[in-house]
Amino acid sequence: MKDLLLKNMMPVWYPRVIDKEYGGYLSDFDYKWDLTKNQNKMIVTQSRHIWTCSKMRAFTGDPVYHEYARTGFLFLRDKMWDKKLGGFFNLVTREGNPVSRGNNKDISKDAYGNAFAIYGLAAYYRESGEQEALELAKKAFLWLEKGSHDPVYGGYFQFLHQDGSPYKSGGPGGIPPKDQNSSIHILEALTELYSVWPDDLLRKRLDEMFHLIRDVIVSERGSL
């Protein structure tokens, strides 16, 4: 597994995915590793690169992974965070301009994507000690808390308007406002954040998400 990771995976993807022109990470290649035309950047993909490079910095001690992770942090900070209304955009162009979802002119966001931003930023802070990354992760958590959190039944509404208010009647395509996929990754993200920021409200939400996933959205047969 170590050989697969260090010889056959990381050297293939990095630094190839680093976007030296616009920052962040490139996403789409053909089978020959040539770039394709569409290079939109999704918050989940960008954040997972930050998390991966931060963990690789811890695993290998190689400072180059800090550089790789930082380019993602800067792109999230400067391009993907909505400086007017808060929260991270779900999708931007390669240059960093927000992209609307389908025919909806509203630049929609979601809890799933913002959770991954928290996940990546917390891991980056753990390895870099860069306080600004932790502060951005906190801001994202509090932004979700304000609009996405369900004060009645707990958990987080998945599909959000640009201002953070939820699609309470259901998301695009009839998907319910909460789902198991976003819920498990919110739990994952809050766990990563709590490891570097042991906040009381954050701990309360961790307990809440654990309870919901284990006891509420699980069926009698054990599936979510």
Side-chain angles (χ1 to χ4, degrees), residues 131-145:
Q131 188 67 30
E132 192 176 8
L134 177 59
E135 294 306 316
L136 189 54
K138 291 180 185 179
K139 285 172 66 175
F141 166 68
L142 294 174
W143 182 83
L144 283 176
E145 183 67 21

Side-chain angles (χ1 to χ4, degrees), residues 149-150 152-156 178-180 183-184 186-187 205-219 224:
H149 182 256
D150 182 353
V152 179
Y153 298 106
Y156 293 84
K178 298 174 190 171
D179 60 63
Q180 61 88 4
S183 296
I184 63 173
I186 290 169
L187 175 63
R205 295 293 176 254
L206 265 176
D207 291 341
E208 181 181 289
M209 292 305 300
F210 175 68
H211 165 70
L212 285 172
I213 292 167
R214 186 191 65 180
D215 302 332
V216 178
I217 64 174
V218 66
S219 72
L224 297 176

Side-chain angles (χ1 to χ4, degrees), residues 50-94:
I50 297 171
W51 184 90
T52 298
C53 291
S54 297
K55 295 298 182 179
M56 287 300 296
R57 172 67 177 85
F59 180 54
T60 67
D62 190 339
V64 72
Y65 287 113
H66 169 70
E67 297 175 20
Y68 295 162
R70 192 166 196 275
T71 192
F73 159 61
L74 294 176
F75 192 79
L76 260 63
R77 183 194 70 182
D78 298 338
K79 298 295 184 179
M80 299 206 75
W81 178 258
D82 186 342
K83 295 178 177 62
K84 181 179 179 181
L85 297 175
F88 287 98
F89 296 116
N90 188 58
L91 193 68
V92 298
T93 63
R94 179 179 177 183

Side-chain angles (χ1 to χ4, degrees), residues 1-223:
M1 290 178 68
K2 186 175 181 180
D3 280 350
L4 176 64
L5 179 67
L6 298 181
K7 296 179 181 179
N8 295 342
M9 291 183 66
M10 299 306 293
V12 177
W13 285 97
Y14 301 95
R16 178 179 274 121
V17 297
I18 305 297
D19 189 342
K20 296 179 180 179
E21 188 172 359
Y22 296 107
Y25 310 97
L26 301 164
S27 298
D28 296 306
F29 301 84
D30 65 17
Y31 77 100
K32 294 181 180 179
W33 287 105
D34 292 326
L35 283 175
T36 61
K37 292 182 179 180
N38 180 23
Q39 288 298 327
N40 286 344
K41 293 170 180 173
M42 183 184 183
I43 186 63
V44 175
T45 313
Q46 300 297 305
S47 300
R48 279 176 160 165
H49 278 294
I50 297 171
W51 184 90
T52 298
C53 291
S54 297
K55 295 298 182 179
M56 287 300 296
R57 172 67 177 85
F59 180 54
T60 67
D62 190 339
V64 72
Y65 287 113
H66 169 70
E67 297 175 20
Y68 295 162
R70 192 166 196 275
T71 192
F73 159 61
L74 294 176
F75 192 79
L76 260 63
R77 183 194 70 182
D78 298 338
K79 298 295 184 179
M80 299 206 75
W81 178 258
D82 186 342
K83 295 178 177 62
K84 181 179 179 181
L85 297 175
F88 287 98
F89 296 116
N90 188 58
L91 193 68
V92 298
T93 63
R94 179 179 177 183
E95 297 81 5
N97 300 313
V99 176
S100 60
R101 178 181 277 138
N103 296 322
N104 186 358
K105 294 183 180 180
D106 182 27
I107 306 297
S108 52
K109 300 166 184 171
D110 56 49
Y112 177 76
N114 277 268
F116 267 104
I118 293 170
Y119 186 54
L121 290 168
Y124 175 70
Y125 169 72
R126 178 196 288 274
E127 295 308 314
S128 69
E130 197 162 340
Q131 188 67 30
E132 192 176 8
L134 177 59
E135 294 306 316
L136 189 54
K138 291 180 185 179
K139 285 172 66 175
F141 166 68
L142 294 174
W143 182 83
L144 283 176
E145 183 67 21
K146 181 180 178 181
S148 173
H149 182 256
D150 182 353
V152 179
Y153 298 106
Y156 293 84
F157 296 110
Q158 159 67 340
F159 296 103
L160 311 171
H161 295 285
Q162 186 172 352
D163 64 1
S165 60
Y167 290 96
K168 289 188 178 180
S169 60
I175 298 174
K178 298 174 190 171
D179 60 63
Q180 61 88 4
N181 187 45
S182 60
S183 296
I184 63 173
H185 287 295
I186 290 169
L187 175 63
E188 177 182 48
L190 299 188
T191 302
E192 189 81 48
L193 181 59
Y194 189 76
S195 71
V196 294
W197 182 48
D199 176 74
D200 289 342
L201 176 61
L202 179 57
R203 176 54 190 258
K204 182 178 179 179
R205 295 293 176 254
L206 265 176
D207 291 341
E208 181 181 289
M209 292 305 300
F210 175 68
H211 165 70
L212 285 172
I213 292 167
R214 186 191 65 180
D215 302 332
V216 178
I217 64 174
V218 66
S219 72
E220 292 181 358
R221 294 183 297 173
S223 58

